[in-house]
């Protein structure tokens, strides 16, 4: 048996920090994932995700278990440094243009190594964090 609580305003016990249900709904992540992109990609943990697909080296698609209202949602993310012992090697993640839908998005992880002058290369990362904010 489930009950529904309907309120206009939510406050803390001292009567402050007021929020409407709409404000809470708009401010929370609708989808998030901690992704291990090495080997067969998998979720370390996730919310509202069904799968992570290995498209190529450093190239992934995350599929949602919910449908966003439109493709105008915001994605934020970060990736773990590829080399634990080299302070001049970093990774970054970026969305693939043209690969965003109401139920998924595709992104790539790129390794940049500044001490050798090497060109950036796509690389699998052991720990990538992604969060999606928007309307459902």
């Amino acid at each position: 048996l489930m009950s529904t609580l309907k309120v206009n305003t939510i406050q803390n016990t001292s009567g402050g920090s007021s929020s409407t249900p709409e404000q809470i709904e708009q401010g929370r992540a609708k989808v998030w994932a901690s992704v291990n992109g090495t080997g067969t990609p998998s979720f370390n943990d996730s919310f509202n995700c069904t799968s992570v697909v290995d498209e190529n080296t450093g190239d992934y698609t995350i599929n949602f278990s919910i449908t966003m209202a439109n493709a105008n949602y915001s994605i934020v993310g970060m990736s773990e440094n590829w080399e634990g012992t080299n302070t001049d090697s970093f990774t970054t993640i970026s969305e693939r243009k043209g690969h965003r839908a109401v139920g998924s998005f595709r992104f790539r992880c790129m390794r940049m190594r500044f001490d050798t002058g090497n060109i950036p290369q796509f690389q699998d990362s052991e720990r990538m964090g992604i969060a999606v904010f928007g309307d459902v």
Side-chain angles (χ1 to χ4, degrees):
L1 179 67
M2 282 188 73
S3 298
T4 301
L5 177 64
K6 295 182 179 183
V7 298
N8 291 326
T9 305
I10 298 169
Q11 295 180 325
N12 64 16
T13 56
S14 65
S17 300
S18 297
S19 296
T20 66
E22 292 81 13
Q23 290 169 330
I24 294 169
E25 175 69 18
Q26 288 298 314
R28 67 177 177 87
K30 305 309 184 301
V31 173
W32 62 260
S34 172
V35 177
N36 181 343
T38 60
T40 300
S42 61
F43 294 118
N44 297 312
D45 200 357
S46 67
F47 177 70
N48 283 336
C49 296
T50 57
S51 62
V52 55
V53 178
D54 188 357
E55 303 287 357
N56 206 334
T57 301
D59 190 354
Y60 312 93
T61 295
I62 291 184
N63 294 297
F64 311 155
S65 61
I66 62 169
T67 301
M68 300 298 288
N70 54 55
N72 296 324
Y73 50 85
S74 176
I75 306 167
V76 295
M78 64 177 293
S79 55
E80 184 177 57
N81 184 6
W82 186 71
E83 291 183 70
T85 59
N86 188 329
T87 59
D88 290 327
S89 176
F90 300 93
T91 62
T92 185
I93 57 176
S94 179
E95 177 185 0
R96 294 262 331 242
K97 184 174 181 161
H99 292 272
R100 181 189 289 214
V102 295
S104 67
F105 71 92
R106 188 170 170 179
F107 68 100
R108 292 187 109 175
C109 181
M110 182 180 295
R111 174 185 179 223
M112 297 168 287
R113 187 168 176 184
F114 299 105
D115 63 339
T116 63
N118 289 347
I119 60 170
Q121 57 190 205
F122 296 113
Q123 191 72 43
D124 293 340
S125 178
E126 189 173 328
R127 192 172 307 274
M128 296 171 285
I130 306 285
V132 174
F133 296 88
D135 297 330
V136 290

